[in-house]
Structure formats: C-alpha cells, structure tokens
Amino acid sequence: MRNFSTVYSAWDEDKLVGMVCAMDDGIMTAYIHYMLIRPEYHHQGIGHTLLKMMKEHYNSYLRIALIAYNTELDFYESCGFKRAEDASPMFITSLWT
C-alpha cells in the first residue's frame, strides 16, 4: 500500500474487512485503483463509506475515475459515479479475474 497516494481501511476489531486505494496526479485526477470488501461484510455500508471518504478527500479534483466490472455498475452509480458515454476502458493485462 505504500505506493498509493491514499488508502482507507475498515476494521472489525483486529480484522481487516475492507479497503480502498487511490493514486492521483496531485491536482486534477484521482484514480481509485481498487476497493475490496470481505464478502461476509457486503451490504453493510462499508463500501459506500469508504468511497464517501475518497470523494471527500478528492473533492477539489476535477475527476475521480475508476474501472468497474459490469456486475458492480449499479453499486458505483449509487455512490455517484457515472458511466462514460464517450469513452471505454482499455487494457494490456495479464490479470486473471
């Protein structure tokens, strides 16, 4: 996590249950690299809270961007993110999902 600009985490006592990490250019764009919530902690508002913290942290930036899997679009839209109508994410990756 040391190379990210901003990291927020959620804990249940000493158990890490959620995390969101972002990189930024220092002035204009922040990119939320990933958000992870333990499955047994889904639907408890943790993800909404972590994203709210990111949005507050980057409220002076012109853009906060992320890439969402199709199954997560409704969640991110409920947090205020909008699908781009004139752009599509593009990748060169060997990541298995």
Side-chain angles (χ1 to χ4, degrees):
M1 302 299 103
R2 82 179 77 169
N3 292 323
F4 286 99
S5 304
T6 307
V7 178
Y8 291 114
S9 58
W11 297 82
D12 183 359
E13 296 184 13
D14 62 348
K15 182 179 186 180
L16 178 63
V17 299
M19 162 183 294
V20 63
C21 303
M23 298 179 215
D24 65 71
D25 62 9
I27 192 166
M28 189 170 103
T29 301
Y31 171 64
I32 296 177
H33 188 264
Y34 62 81
M35 183 170 67
L36 304 167
I37 308 294
R38 286 182 182 265
E40 63 269 27
Y41 287 84
H42 285 188
H43 308 290
Q44 295 183 28
I46 296 168
H48 279 92
T49 300
L50 291 172
L51 286 178
K52 180 181 176 188
M53 294 167 70
M54 278 292 181
K55 288 168 42 180
E56 288 172 358
H57 181 82
Y58 289 113
N59 69 359
S60 66
Y61 280 55
L62 296 176
R63 177 180 302 114
I64 302 172
L66 60 79
I67 296 174
Y69 292 104
N70 290 337
T71 57
E72 299 164 347
L73 290 174
D74 291 339
F75 168 76
Y76 286 109
E77 286 178 337
S78 76
C79 293
F81 289 87
K82 295 182 170 93
R83 297 179 209 196
E85 295 186 20
D86 61 346
S88 295
M90 299 178 73
F91 304 93
I92 296 175
T93 183
S94 60
L95 177 67
W96 292 29
T97 58

